[in-house]
Every structure is written in structure tokens, then in C-alpha cells.
Amino acid sequence: MQVAVVQLFAHGVQCDRSAVKAEPAIEGELTLEPRGRSLVATLKRSSVGAGSYGSMALDALMPLLDPVLTGMNATSFVIEGIQRRHDEAGKLREERQAWWCRPLAPGTCGDRG
């Protein structure tokens, strides 16, 4: 599903509502896929390559582990889960994250005219 996503947390801390509304959305292909006994949400962006490599999908955001639908209305939905990242000291951290997702019309992701 093609969506525009805004992250609602920064390093596990909920962002201020005005900051969320001001944040530019990241457009991409939202997928949910099983990994082991867990479910993982990813947001992929197409990257056009040169030569024989063609195009490939790159992660636009760090994957969301064990995502759960936590809100929905007529124009958007929110999925929440855990993101893993290494801090400055190299220690692996698990942090709360939520994505505010707004579906895009087919063929609009990345189309800027």
C-alpha cells in the first residue's frame, strides 16, 4: 500500500503535536511481513539505479517490530511498535515508535510532476 508516513516518536519519546503536523511526510510502500514469530512493518522507497541494476527498494525508515493498529479514521491510521537502533555508545536500544499513515492514490508515491 502506498502511504505518506510521519513518525510520532523521537528516540522513544512522543513528539509534540505541532511538531508532528509540521514534519514532512515520507512516502513509500508500506508492507507487513512475518519474520520468525514476529510481524515487521517496513516502508520502502524506490531508488532508480543506472545500468543493469535498474531500480531497487530501500528502507525509508527503520523497520517497526511487532506493529499494532492503534488508531484509524476515514483518511489515516496509526501503527505502533518497536524500533531497534544503536546509540552513540554502540549499545542496542529498543524504542517505542508509531507511524501516522495516510494512504496515497495508486501511482502517486514519489510523483511530483
Side-chain angles (χ1 to χ4, degrees), residues 64-87:
L64 196 59
L65 309 176
D66 297 324
V68 176
L69 180 67
T70 59
M72 180 182 276
N73 64 27
T75 60
S76 64
F77 60 93
V78 175
I79 56 176
E80 189 172 329
I82 300 294
Q83 283 182 332
R84 289 187 179 139
R85 70 171 186 89
H86 288 91
D87 65 13

Side-chain angles (χ1 to χ4, degrees), residues 3-5 25-29 43-45 104 108-112:
V3 295
V5 172
I26 300 169
E27 296 179 358
E29 176 75 21
L43 185 69
K44 304 275 188 190
R45 280 196 98 131
L104 300 172
T108 61
C109 184
D111 294 346
R112 297 288 179 201

Side-chain angles (χ1 to χ4, degrees), residues 22-79:
E23 188 69 25
I26 300 169
E27 296 179 358
E29 176 75 21
L30 176 65
T31 61
L32 297 172
E33 49 196 46
R35 286 199 191 153
R37 289 189 260 170
S38 299
L39 191 62
V40 177
T42 59
L43 185 69
K44 304 275 188 190
R45 280 196 98 131
S46 291
S47 173
V48 178
S52 61
Y53 294 107
S55 65
M56 55 190 217
L58 303 173
D59 284 343
L61 296 172
M62 290 189 306
L64 196 59
L65 309 176
D66 297 324
V68 176
L69 180 67
T70 59
M72 180 182 276
N73 64 27
T75 60
S76 64
F77 60 93
V78 175
I79 56 176

